[in-house]
Amino acid sequence: MTTRKQLHLGAFMRPVSLHTGAWRYPGAWPDANFNLGHIVRLAQKLEEGRFDAFFMADHLAVLNMPVEALKRSHTVTSFEPFTLLSALAMVTTRIGLVATASTTFEEPYHLARRFASLDHISNGRAGWNIVTTSNPDAALNFGLDDHMEHDERYVRAREFYDVVTGLWDSFADDAFPRDASSGLYFDPSRLHVLDHKGPYFSVRGPLNIARPVQGWPVIVQAGASEPGRQLAAETAEAIFAAAPDLATGRAFYANVKGRLDRLGRPREHLKILPGAFVVVGDSVEEARAKRARLDSLVHYDSAIASLSIALGHDASRFDPDGPLPEVPETNASRSARERVIEMARRENLTVRQLAQRLGGYSGLAFVGTAQTIADEMEEWLETEGSDGFNITFPFLPAGLDDFVDKVVPELQRRGIFRREYEGTTLREHLGLPRPENRFFPAAREAVHG
């Protein structure tokens, strides 16, 4: 049995590729983002590659970009995540199923019920990606004229988390004897009424569904701002981070894991998984040529719109061939805005160059052979840059197939990635404990297996 640190891999699958040109790449499935047959095939291939999780990053509005750019985007349409992941639970047996759900535009009771259902349907494979929603257009779909202020969204999110996890603990694990001889279906003494009253929510409970198989679905977060990091340290079990290079990744890793130390949480109870765009070739030159061809398929309309979204500010009026001007703060995602500004300054990019980068994919990228990609991933793992990666593929299906067929075997050969799943639940894949029921601490059960 290996004693080496083990890499964890999620697959970023909504959209099926973050790259704007992905649907136009030769041989790609243009409708992969909204074709159930294609998505089933991709999920099964990821499970064949022993991925920890399939991650669906949901949106509650059509992306806020000009229609001239939107008409070129494959992200305009997508399945509702719980419907899709419940369907995928029927055609897979091990891979985790993670959905984004917003604490700003959801109600805790609805969300707790849906995730508990998904966890039971999938036999313990559900994960909740907590987001506060940075797209201001989403507010307009929920009867609001203005988006909630950034820091307030995180205060609400913390209370939302407390309510949802409290609802998941409504029933003790042994609350359902289902004793046909006596006629006792459930034991009322093993039921807790939450009766939560707080600044944002009043929720009586209990949840009308048994405690999830995993106790709680795995809690995932993606925020990198100061409030986001603190919320993650207090509540998250995995972070889908954004780190453009190893030095930034190591700094983020040390910062968040240090917060766990101060909170008394074991470091291994939170996995940090930066997003990574991976292009595989039989040679480094071939991989670079694939990426260059892919980038060439991004229209400038999309490029400048992507920059505007990242900045939370209309960039179409900027001088395309001048440097990025001073950009005022907005209520959009601060971490995304700061990353873009820092990239422009670090690489001395013009507005046009910056837009083209963002219009394709501007984050961490591993472009090379199975061996060079494995080298980089191993370095991140061994030097505490990450616990693994949330992989985004350049185009589908070939980009995903290349990773599973070429990179995964190389990682397995090095002894840093599983050859078989260790268990049946997402918690077992990630090496996470099953949370004890806060209201019934004596009712302890082994991790579902």
Side-chain angles (χ1 to χ4, degrees), residues 347-360:
E347 301 186 34
N348 196 30
L349 300 175
T350 65
V351 169
R352 187 189 305 277
Q353 290 168 330
L354 183 63
Q356 288 171 335
R357 179 76 61 84
L358 288 170

Side-chain angles (χ1 to χ4, degrees), residues 24-87:
R24 300 181 64 197
Y25 197 84
W29 292 333
D31 64 341
N33 207 45
F34 200 66
N35 181 310
L36 179 61
H38 287 339
I39 294 174
V40 166
R41 191 277 208 195
L42 297 171
Q44 291 174 336
K45 185 69 174 184
L46 290 166
E47 187 167 75
E48 177 188 318
R50 305 300 187 256
F51 267 65
D52 291 77
F54 178 111
F55 170 44
M56 191 176 183
D58 192 36
H59 302 278
L60 294 174
V62 172
L63 293 183
N64 56 330
M65 62 173 68
V67 70
E68 286 303 307
L70 189 65
K71 72 182 185 183
R72 305 182 188 282
S73 171
H74 66 292
T75 66
V76 70
T77 183
S78 176
F79 290 108
E80 187 280 321
F82 289 92
T83 309
L84 176 63
L85 295 183
S86 294

Side-chain angles (χ1 to χ4, degrees), residues 255-275:
N255 180 287
V256 174
K257 297 278 186 171
R259 293 171 192 250
L260 264 68
D261 295 341
R262 293 189 290 277
L263 291 167
R265 289 187 65 194
R267 286 188 164 216
E268 63 271 20
H269 289 184
L270 175 60
K271 309 300 182 185
I272 296 179
L273 308 174

Side-chain angles (χ1 to χ4, degrees), residues 15 59 93 160 192 201 225 247 279 307 393 408:
H59 302 278
T93 60
F160 196 110
H192 178 82
F201 303 106
S225 65
V279 184
L307 178 57
F393 303 100
V408 167

Side-chain angles (χ1 to χ4, degrees), residues 94-114:
R94 290 291 185 270
I95 192 167
L97 303 167
V98 180
T100 293
S102 173
T103 58
T104 302
F105 301 111
E106 294 272 10
E107 288 295 327
Y109 195 92
H110 276 147
L111 191 145
R113 193 175 185 220
R114 288 199 296 269

Side-chain angles (χ1 to χ4, degrees), residues 158-212:
R158 187 65 177 83
E159 184 182 343
F160 196 110
Y161 164 89
D162 290 338
V163 176
V164 169
T165 54
L167 288 170
W168 285 334
D169 285 346
S170 293
F171 288 96
D173 289 315
D174 60 357
F176 296 91
R178 300 185 181 93
D179 186 344
S181 61
S182 69
L184 181 67
Y185 190 84
F186 88 95
D187 180 352
S189 71
R190 311 302 283 165
L191 168 66
H192 178 82
V193 178
L194 185 63
D195 199 21
H196 173 89
K197 291 182 173 62
Y200 293 95
F201 303 106
S202 176
V203 181
R204 181 180 181 273
L207 192 65
N208 59 344
I209 188 168
R211 194 166 190 246

Side-chain angles (χ1 to χ4, degrees), residues 265-339:
R265 289 187 65 194
R267 286 188 164 216
E268 63 271 20
H269 289 184
L270 175 60
K271 309 300 182 185
I272 296 179
L273 308 174
F277 181 77
V278 180
V279 184
V280 186
D282 290 332
S283 66
V284 172
E285 292 72 26
E286 182 189 50
R288 288 174 177 166
K290 285 183 180 180
R291 181 166 194 186
R293 185 172 192 180
L294 182 62
D295 287 343
S296 74
L297 299 174
V298 178
H299 196 281
Y300 186 71
D301 290 347
S302 299
I304 199 66
S306 296
L307 178 57
S308 297
I309 291 170
L311 294 174
H313 187 85
D314 182 8
S316 65
R317 299 181 184 278
F318 295 165
D319 177 3
D321 299 309
L324 184 69
E326 289 295 319
V327 181
E329 284 200 14
T330 71
N331 205 24
S333 173
R334 290 181 186 171
S335 54
R337 174 183 175 278
E338 288 164 5
R339 276 197 305 274

